[in-house]
Amino acid sequence: MADCIAELDRSYPPSWAQAWDAVGLTVGDPDMPVHHALFAVDPTLDVAREAVGCGAQLLVTHHPLFLRGVHGVAETDAGGRVVATLIRGGVALFSAHTNADVACPGVSDALAGVLGLRDVGPLTEPAGPQPSGAEPGNGGLGRVGNLAESEPLGAFCARVAAALPATAGGVRTTGAPQRPVRRIAVCGGSGGELVGAAARAGADVLVTADGRHHHVLDAVSAHDVAVVDVAHWASEWPWLQVASARLGAGLAGRGRTVNTTVSSLVTDPWRWHASSSGPAAGQA
């Protein structure tokens, strides 16, 4: 376990996490042996049961189990049930959250990769100093890159839908589907505040999650950037394969081996979508 934690901390230094975040080892003994690590976005009860069922000793998630202080882990609440399931099954829990968001390669690099972007670089400047000797570097939030060729926004949205796991919400956009786009900014997770940065980087599109009505309305009114909105879980899922491969490679460099797998459970909370069929409203 200690070697796994060391490799994960090297790839995603905890000092890069936001002050409000809670990253690192949440459940488990750092001295316990690890033969199998399961990677998932969310530490839900179903994911905890999957980790136990597949014989993992370590569950690595992007999102932390607890972001606020807790006074108990009784099985009368969801968090307590996850903790109890992991402990009974001999599974430790480790999270890399906002520190993985800014790492390069990190969450947004993985998203850019599955969308086929080229010449990918930082979208924003890193916040705060970087720890000495840490590799790779802190690339800040978001990435920006280019498609091989320009394509209509509608075709690009179809590209996004094909590249990410299917969710009830699918893919939606603010722009006209026939608009040509090529330069693409991305931010895995909630990155709507980066529309201005995307505009300054010359991006035609920002792909991110959790678009809010007033925030997106103001952003697209102020900037000539289309926002492509996807499910939060789906936008971060591509990172799991990258993170699991990095852990395996890092341990191999230490002469250690661990089996890594990526959870295929859909933990996006939205489960069903009905297309709008109400009375027509006028276009502004």
Side-chain angles (χ1 to χ4, degrees):
M1 176 78 70
D3 287 338
C4 291
I5 292 174
E7 282 301 323
L8 290 165
D9 282 347
R10 187 178 72 85
S11 297
Y12 313 111
S15 60
W16 290 351
Q18 294 292 311
W20 50 263
D21 206 358
V23 301
L25 188 66
T26 304
V27 176
D29 180 357
D31 292 326
M32 68 183 289
V34 173
H35 306 288
H36 184 181
L38 177 69
F39 284 73
V41 175
D42 299 295
T44 65
L45 182 58
D46 285 341
V47 169
R49 289 170 173 164
E50 180 187 20
V52 174
C54 73
Q57 295 80 39
L58 174 62
L59 172 60
V60 180
T61 63
H62 182 48
H63 294 142
L65 179 59
F66 301 115
L67 277 176
R68 296 176 178 85
V70 295
H71 301 286
V73 288
E75 292 184 67
T76 51
D77 62 36
R81 289 191 287 274
V82 170
V83 171
T85 299
L86 293 173
I87 290 175
R88 288 195 190 106
V91 182
L93 174 62
F94 182 99
S95 64
H97 189 207
T98 52
N99 46 334
D101 287 336
V102 300
C104 185
V107 172
S108 292
D109 296 281
L111 178 56
V114 298
L115 297 183
L117 302 188
R118 302 179 175 186
D119 306 317
V120 175
L123 180 63
T124 64
E125 292 294 325
Q130 299 186 38
S132 61
E135 292 293 342
N138 182 334
L141 285 173
R143 299 290 181 267
V144 63
N146 302 303
L147 297 171
E149 296 180 349
S150 177
E151 63 187 35
L153 177 60
F156 176 73
C157 288
R159 172 195 290 263
V160 175
L164 298 180
T167 59
V171 177
R172 57 184 181 172
T173 186
T174 61
Q178 68 273 18
R179 171 183 175 174
V181 300
R182 185 174 187 186
R183 188 153 175 81
I184 311 296
V186 299
C187 182
S190 304
E193 75 280 3
L194 298 180
V195 174
R200 291 189 293 274
D204 304 305
V205 174
L206 171 65
V207 181
T208 190
D210 299 336
R212 292 177 289 131
H213 176 81
H214 293 292
H215 189 273
V216 174
L217 196 64
D218 291 345
V220 298
S221 296
H223 304 287
D224 187 24
V225 175
V227 176
V228 172
D229 186 76
V230 302
H232 190 121
W233 167 83
S235 73
E236 296 174 329
W237 190 85
W239 170 76
L240 302 179
Q241 192 64 54
V242 175
S244 64
R246 294 205 64 211
L247 176 60
L251 289 173
R254 294 169 175 253
R256 308 274 182 165
T257 58
V258 65
N259 180 41
T260 61
T261 54
V262 170
S263 174
S264 59
L265 289 178
V266 178
T267 54
D268 181 63
W270 305 106
R271 296 299 181 178
W272 188 73
H273 172 81
S275 298
S276 298
S277 58
Q283 292 283 329

